Each structure stands twice: as C-alpha cells, then as structure tokens.
Amino acid sequence: MQPAENAQKLQSVISDDLFPEVQHISDVKQVIEEMTGLSQNLREPQIKALLLLKKMGENTYLHPDGNPYKGIYDYITIKGKTHVANPDFYLDTIEALIPKPPKPVILAEKGMKK
C-alpha cells in the first residue's frame, strides 16, 4: 500500500462530518432562540437580592395589596438576562455553527528527517 493511499484514507476518515451541518438560516435562528434564555447567568449576589425581593414582597403586613416587587423580579429573571447579555455570546454561537474545512493530513516519507 502506498503512503499516498494511506494519507487519502486517513483524510477521508478525518473529514467525515461528526456533527450535522447547519444548512439554513432557520436552523441558526432556532439555535439563537434556544440560547437566549441562557445568555446571562445570574451570580450569587444577584440571586440573593432576588430572593430578598421575593421575601419582602410576601410580607402581607407591609404590602397588603400584593407583591409590589413582582414586576422587578419577573423582569430580572425573564427578560433582563437577555437585555444585558454580551453580544459576543451570540456571535460566538453563530461562529460555532459555521462548518470549518478539515485540515489536510501530511505524511512524511520514511527516513525523512524533520
């Protein structure tokens, strides 16, 4: 067997797609929509502040008409995360969806020095 044949077989195995390629813009849109809720993780101090707001709103003595902080709590946990997300998050996601060409495999002849 020739080294060129070995290289061609190795190259065909390496270039085989392990993951499905994104072919349509709708696929990219679907991935971005799925990632939207994960765009900005809340840190521990933020979660503690949210829990405090929730607990304060449950105090019926201070707030007999209901929780006045519910709007703030809902905004931070649902929409606020995406409004403050770094645009690089979405750009990196799109870049990861673009298929990259495989790198060619170069085999050296026997007896060749580096």
Side-chain angles (χ1 to χ4, degrees):
M1 193 175 273
Q2 299 281 347
E5 291 175 16
N6 286 342
Q8 186 62 31
K9 286 182 182 180
L10 184 60
Q11 184 66 36
S12 69
V13 169
I14 291 174
S15 67
D16 198 15
D17 292 329
L18 299 177
F19 303 102
E21 294 181 16
V22 176
Q23 298 294 334
H24 304 288
I25 193 69
S26 62
D27 295 337
V28 174
K29 183 180 177 198
Q30 183 180 1
V31 170
I32 294 295
E33 286 174 356
E34 184 67 29
M35 300 296 286
T36 300
L38 308 172
S39 59
Q40 183 73 28
N41 292 328
L42 296 173
R43 295 186 314 261
E44 183 182 349
Q46 293 168 320
I47 292 174
K48 286 180 178 180
L50 286 172
L51 291 173
L52 178 63
L53 271 179
K54 189 173 184 181
K55 193 68 173 170
M56 286 178 9
E58 292 171 355
N59 187 339
T60 56
Y61 180 74
L62 291 176
H63 310 293
D65 297 333
N67 187 347
Y69 310 114
K70 183 167 177 28
I72 297 170
Y73 182 86
D74 290 343
Y75 173 77
I76 292 172
T77 56
I78 298 169
K79 294 180 184 176
K81 293 183 350 175
T82 58
H83 291 170
V84 298
N86 190 347
D88 288 340
F89 174 79
Y90 297 106
L91 295 174
D92 292 343
T93 302
I94 293 170
E95 185 178 316
L97 294 172
I98 299 171
K100 312 283 188 295
K103 295 181 181 177
V105 175
I106 302 172
L107 296 176
E109 295 290 328
K110 289 184 179 179
M112 288 184 65
K113 295 182 179 179
K114 292 184 180 180

